[in-house]
Amino acid sequence: MQPLLRMQGINKSFAGVAALTSAELEIAPGEVHAVIGQNGAGKSTLIKILTGVYRKDSGDIEFEGNPLNAQSPREAQDAGIATIYQELSLVPLRSVTENVIMGYEPRNKLGLVDWKAAHTRSREILAGFGITIDVTQPLGSYSTAIQQLTAIARAVSLNARLVIMDEPTSSLDDREVETLFGVVRALKDKGVSVIYISHFLDELFHICDRATIMRDGQTVAVREIAESTKLSLIADMLGRDPEEIAAAGMTDLGGGVRETGELLLEAKDLKTDRNLRDVSVSVHKGEIVGLGGLLGSGRTEAARAIFAMDKLRNGFVRTTARPNGFSDPADAIRSGIGFLTEDRKAEGIVPEMTVRENMTLALLPKLIKNGAIDRERETEIVEKFVKALGIKLASIEQPIRELSGGNQQKVLLARWLALEPDLLILDEPTRGVDVGAKFEIQSIIREYVEKGVGVLLISSEFEELVEGADRIVVLQEGTSVTELQNPGITEESLIGAIAQSHDGATA
Amino acid sequence: MLDTNAFDLRKYLQGNGQSVGVWIALVVVVLFGAMRYDNFTGAYNISSFLNYNSMFIAIALGMCFVIMTGGIDLSVGSVVAFTSVCVAYLSPYGIQVALPGGILAGMAIGSINAFFVIKMRIPPFIATLATMLGAKGGALVIAGRQTISVDWTSNFTKFGMENVGGLLPWSIISVAILAVGLWIVLERTSIGRTVEAIGGGEDATRMMGLPVDRAKAFVYILSGGCAGLAGVILASGFGAGQPLEGVGWELSAIASVVVGGTLLTGGMGSVPATVAGALLLGLVFNILNFENGRGVISISAYWQMVVRGMFLFVVILLQARVSRATKKQGV
């Protein structure tokens, strides 16, 4: 059968760095097709080229047998490719009808909008997806799921032949996900194709026909979902041998418990409103505990819960000093916890402030002498850490934004080390820094652990976890499912645990 | 570097590139005035210039702190009018009652702003717009829609009129003390550092355990208090509580802050540069007055505003250029 979409030999680089190297994607008519891959595999770049957000450097795109070279999202839309974004581009204060038919309103003889016909038409369109709601109400009065479905309905009513859904279920609850799946199936029945991007692999087995797997900017495999297992898909994503992973995963589960030092912090049955369902983890003195899992498994969410940034719905966090947990981040910091966040730009640095000011922000309460900041001690501490961590800068009075990523990260690490914490939560401490800085940051962490600091380490790099952590708590969909013990953890056994432990049926 | 002075200047430029423009412009304008007009540097001109502009410096300083958190305070002009009326009524009790009374009245309105912004989560623009209208109405109500003359028999008017040691009135000295105090707060205290951090990223600041709500309350109450001080200066220096005064002053204050290199998005700011910004804006009027006084040309008040707008534009352009140039050399 003639494919609906064929992308071939797509190349794209950003500032000389290749993001896509002869990537391919082929979508059959009426098929639900998953595109999966690790962060940075090139999924979103490929999709953005298709939808006209980026220009490709070279390669061919054919849509319905004709060459397509969308220069803007609008052109892709006119060609019949609709994208449903996570942040919806609808108008929540206007009625459902207005959102569905905006720009294509039926007119009466006087050229005015015929509202009666408009409401009927939008009711028909939505009914086609099994949604019956009062279309005269503002769209914003309905749930996110309904809003998303309205966006899909609008796209299809505008004659889309290919609908792209980017992480459509990330903000939906279980029942809403079912409704969404119903709509995807309805699209399929209408002969509309769907590109489905999700990091929840379980979902693919429910609704997808095939999956294109990407890795390092290349298309590495196209699989029939019916003939795949979660394990085999993960193996494809990571470029490993599935049998090796399976074997390693079986042998290394449930090792003995080796306790290092006294218990620093215990978190049990944590549940929050942010995709965290049931996570338990404990950290001892002089121990690195890793949180392993795929994107969206709840690693960062678990750290946020421990640090009292999100409200606990269930479970508890306790330390010797705080048997009832922390009331807010300031309280956690006072009890000797530091949290190096994953998002350096949004939650870490204050770009216009100097290196000195950035480094001592969390330390400020301890730097006050007679009501004022003790600048001498401040400078002394900053210079000590600049030297100890090998931070490269022109002056400590330089705005931090002028530093390289690796050096910014070292400043942020110093911010927490200066507090002399008992426990450090490190979320992706080496993301986006060069290899040299990465090695340096890792050895700094090691050094502090040997002095007795406990570390909760979150990393998407399996190598970093396997080599760094004494224990790894494996998370899946917001639940801690198993724990691996070093020595003895290999990347394969970790991947095996991530893929299998929750998933006896498909593995 | 061989020359240590040159090195220090470079270091200063690196940290304060944004505010270099205002200092250059200030020096140029002062030199221009001093060379062109006879009495420009005379004691009378300096004293009356500073006396009038001390009010603008006061509200610009409060505004600078609010803007550093990424907020805005539109109510300051109305608060000046409101407190000038309040202190006119308090003037028989002397400056020792009227000064704290006026500052407290301003801080009370600042507290309302803080409550709306922090507790009710209303955007600062809207919240302070509401108190701007409220304070203006309040001023007109308690003044009975007319100017309230102060009590000339008490020591109240000495605050704004009598020169200390024959040099400068108390009003200017009080604003100078305020500026130095706020400079220390910003550079040397934890609350000042927190204010800057909030503008850089509120979530990040909260995450670091810094008292975000307390710092935000501080800036709005501070801004109200500064406007209160300006109200006292207004009533005492001009001998009347003036419910109709202060219109558009909030915009002058914002302009001073921006000219001083503070980012409207928050995250960084400078007390001395804000003072310089306020002085610069005042000087442009002062110079236009001198120019009119020469009798060669006559520039109407409306054209003065146009000239001032153009001047603002030039200073900001200059600033952008200088800061870009220092950034290039900086690293």
Side-chain angles (χ1 to χ4, degrees), chain A residues 300-319:
Chain A
T300 300
E301 289 75 10
R304 289 176 59 98
I306 291 173
F307 204 61
M309 287 171 76
D310 295 334
K311 212 174 157 176
L312 287 185
R313 293 284 170 217
N314 189 31
F316 63 83
V317 176
R318 70 174 166 219
T319 65

Side-chain angles (χ1 to χ4, degrees), chain B residues 97-171:
Chain B
V97 173
L99 178 63
I103 293 174
L104 281 176
M107 287 168 77
I109 296 174
S111 315
I112 297 173
N113 286 332
F115 175 77
F116 280 133
V117 171
I118 299 160
K119 292 282 175 213
M120 311 293 284
R121 299 180 175 281
I122 295 170
F125 192 96
I126 307 295
T128 60
L129 186 64
T131 44
M132 168 182 158
L133 298 171
K136 189 163 176 58
L140 286 166
V141 168
I142 61 173
R145 285 186 295 165
Q146 50 192 318
T147 303
I148 304 297
S149 183
V150 302
D151 180 0
W152 292 82
T153 58
S154 79
N155 63 358
F156 179 72
T157 50
K158 289 184 179 168
F159 183 74
M161 295 179 183
E162 193 178 81
N163 289 349
V164 179
L167 208 62
L168 296 170
W170 278 109
S171 53

Side-chain angles (χ1 to χ4, degrees), chain A residues 149-324:
Chain A
L149 300 177
T150 306
I152 295 169
R154 173 183 166 85
V156 175
S157 75
L158 296 182
N159 217 9
R161 262 92 67 215
L162 176 63
V163 175
I164 300 168
M165 299 187 189
D166 188 359
E167 299 291 353
T169 58
S170 57
S171 51
L172 305 186
D173 68 27
D174 294 348
R175 208 167 40 86
E176 292 172 331
V177 169
E178 271 314 309
T179 319
L180 178 80
F181 285 176
V183 169
V184 172
R185 291 190 193 103
L187 286 176
K188 198 173 145 70
D189 292 342
K190 289 184 174 44
V192 176
S193 302
V194 175
I195 294 181
Y196 193 87
I197 302 170
S198 174
H199 51 245
F200 297 115
L201 289 183
D202 287 337
E203 291 176 357
L204 310 190
F205 292 94
H206 283 108
I207 49 158
C208 294
D209 302 309
R210 291 194 301 161
T212 289
I213 297 113
M214 300 194 66
R215 188 173 71 238
D216 300 332
Q218 284 174 307
T219 304
V220 291
V222 181
R223 303 284 183 202
E224 295 285 337
I225 291 288
E227 295 162 13
S228 306
T229 63
K230 211 162 131 186
L231 184 66
S232 70
L233 291 180
I234 293 175
D236 282 334
M237 276 162 65
L238 303 172
R240 308 278 169 159
D241 180 353
E243 284 178 19
E244 209 175 290
I245 293 174
M250 297 319 266
T251 52
D252 264 333
L253 292 177
V257 178
R258 177 178 61 105
E259 302 234 325
T260 45
E262 61 183 281
L263 186 67
L264 278 176
L265 178 136
E266 189 185 9
K268 212 159 159 30
D269 306 334
L270 300 183
K271 179 180 165 63
T272 65
D273 294 338
R274 272 187 191 244
N275 280 325
L276 194 69
R277 291 182 186 146
D278 181 9
V279 169
S280 299
V281 59
S282 61
V283 187
H284 298 81
K285 263 187 120 158
E287 182 186 40
I288 301 182
V289 178
L291 284 181
L294 295 173
L295 201 68
S297 59
R299 297 166 306 185
T300 300
E301 289 75 10
R304 289 176 59 98
I306 291 173
F307 204 61
M309 287 171 76
D310 295 334
K311 212 174 157 176
L312 287 185
R313 293 284 170 217
N314 189 31
F316 63 83
V317 176
R318 70 174 166 219
T319 65
T320 335
R322 292 280 196 288
N324 297 321

Side-chain angles (χ1 to χ4, degrees), chain A residues 333 372-373 375 378 415, chain B residues 187-189 193 204 207-208:
Chain A
I333 292 169
I373 297 167
R375 280 286 281 270
E378 184 186 22
R415 175 191 284 170
Chain B
E187 300 291 326
R188 289 295 159 102
T189 69
R193 198 77 61 83
M207 259 243 15
M208 280 172 278

